[in-house]
Amino acid sequence: MHIVIDHSTTYRYGAAARRVHQALRLWPIPGVGQVIRDWRVDIDGRKIRPSSRDGFGNPVATHVVDRPVQALVVRVHAEVETLDRHGIVGHTEDPLPPAYFVHPTELTRPDDAIRALASGCRAEEDGDVPRLHRLCNTVRERVDYQPLVTHVASAAADALAHGAGVCQDHAHVLIAAARVLGYPARYVSGYLAASAGSDAASHAWAEIHVPDLGWVGFDAANRICPDERYVRIAVGRDYRDAAPVRGVQLGGEAESMEVAVWVSEQ
């Protein structure tokens, strides 16, 4: 599938920010199932390129504005050819071994409710893949899709307690529960192309390490394994590791953010 992405994020400051630092993870990790035909990132019209890779292998650039700024616009334009691999990413050559992704983080720390959810999907007679599909579906049954109930700092346990959240929360709950069952699991940020009756969006899902298969993607928000409509960007233990943009600023009170995403197949 040929996918075209146009994504802009506008940061506005009620009072001018005097200095802005941003870490950008907006470039895809090289991998199977996607061929990059074009990928451009610019900030206020100036092209930005990755300058290094982080500990997870994600391309990263650091952007600094050392002057008063009232607004900042980050844009991504990309064209990608994708294949449907039924969610199988496989045995990738990553900087960190799968075992690193068994340990919980602040956003994926399991509580009793997450442990109970995981235990309910543990049936010994199942193979790994059927068990993980059941876990994925159970997470979606327990966490309804509702924007504005959670925020970027919400933990998996909070989303499950609320019974609602967005794709980030579905991914965090699935990751936390999979780790309870002993599976290495990691967070993926990326894009999902629009299909009939749905909106294009930046998106998030989980990858779980399965013996013999390697890493396999599970999107609890949509109850499927990622197919040719998905574009992988960055991975990490949770959202904080793979966030497309993270930053701090000096001044710039009353910050607001406007996001426009257009992702389509051609």
Side-chain angles (χ1 to χ4, degrees), residues 38-56:
D38 184 29
W39 200 283
R40 301 194 303 273
V41 177
D42 68 66
I43 297 181
D44 288 343
R46 183 169 68 89
K47 188 172 183 178
I48 305 294
R49 291 184 175 88
S51 55
S52 62
R53 292 183 182 271
D54 65 15
F56 303 98

Side-chain angles (χ1 to χ4, degrees), residues 13 43 58 61 237 255-256 263:
Y13 306 99
I43 297 181
N58 303 312
R237 297 165 300 174
E255 180 190 45
S256 64
V263 187

Side-chain angles (χ1 to χ4, degrees), residues 5 34 55 70 74 76 79 90 129 132 139 143 178 207 214 221 226 257 266:
I5 300 166
Q34 58 187 36
Q70 202 80 46
V74 181
V76 177
E79 296 188 32
V129 173
L132 292 173
V139 169
V143 182
E207 286 177 355
M257 184 174 67
Q266 293 187 353

Side-chain angles (χ1 to χ4, degrees), residues 106-228:
E106 183 180 350
L107 295 181
T108 60
R109 195 173 308 283
D111 62 358
D112 289 343
I114 289 176
R115 293 187 186 94
L117 185 154
S119 296
C121 298
R122 193 188 289 274
E124 296 296 335
E125 64 273 15
D126 283 349
D128 295 301
V129 173
R131 180 181 301 121
L132 292 173
H133 275 297
R134 184 166 63 250
L135 183 64
C136 181
N137 288 330
T138 301
V139 169
R140 185 61 179 81
E141 289 165 3
R142 296 283 301 277
V143 182
D144 190 25
Y145 178 80
Q146 290 185 32
L148 306 179
V149 174
T150 57
H151 49 80
V152 294
S154 294
D158 295 330
L160 185 58
H162 287 305
V166 294
C167 59
Q168 172 183 312
D169 303 297
H170 293 122
H172 280 158
V173 176
L174 179 55
I175 289 166
R179 289 172 179 165
V180 168
L181 295 177
Y183 293 98
R186 63 189 183 187
Y187 185 98
V188 187
S189 65
Y191 294 98
L192 172 60
S195 58
S198 67
D199 296 325
S202 53
H203 198 51
W205 59 96
E207 286 177 355
I208 302 172
H209 199 270
V210 178
D212 300 326
L213 290 177
W215 292 104
V216 180
F218 292 87
D219 179 9
N222 291 299
R223 302 174 184 260
I224 63 171
C225 288
D227 56 24
E228 72 276 12

Side-chain angles (χ1 to χ4, degrees), residues 83-107:
L83 296 173
D84 184 3
R85 293 178 55 86
H86 308 287
I88 299 175
V89 178
H91 298 280
T92 53
E93 295 183 4
D94 299 311
L96 297 167
Y100 180 82
F101 295 92
V102 171
H103 305 291
T105 64
E106 183 180 350
L107 295 181

